[in-house]
Amino acid sequence: DVGITTLVKSRFLEDKDVAGTSISVETLNGTVMLSGFAKSALERNKAETIARGVKGVTAVKNEIAIRP
């Protein structure tokens, strides 16, 4: 789970559309919980897509709030 969290965070930081510093990532038994703030729905959805693409992730709970 720690490896999944680290990988999701590093992919956020690599992606120009996602503010990796504004989104926190927690993983429990393969389920990734995203929380924090995004500037747009696009950023929120992109964060979820990135998290789903990480090996070992079984589910994503997207609790990211949109704050323009």
Side-chain angles (χ1 to χ4, degrees), residues 1 12-13 22 27 31 43 49 56-58 66:
D1 286 345
F12 283 174
L13 295 171
S22 302
T27 309
T31 299
E43 182 180 2
T49 302
V57 173
T58 55
I66 297 169

Side-chain angles (χ1 to χ4, degrees), residues 1-62:
D1 286 345
V2 174
I4 292 173
T5 298
T6 304
L7 199 52
V8 171
K9 283 185 175 182
S10 69
R11 291 203 181 158
F12 283 174
L13 295 171
E14 289 167 7
D15 193 290
K16 63 178 174 39
D17 294 329
V18 177
T21 54
S22 302
I23 300 169
S24 63
V25 181
E26 293 175 55
T27 309
L28 181 63
N29 301 327
T31 299
V32 175
M33 168 84 159
L34 303 175
S35 60
F37 297 97
K39 292 178 191 74
S40 65
L42 175 77
E43 182 180 2
R44 182 180 189 273
N45 295 339
K46 186 88 181 258
E48 183 175 336
T49 302
I50 290 169
R52 287 188 189 281
V54 172
K55 191 175 191 285
V57 173
T58 55
V60 176
K61 290 186 179 169
N62 192 341

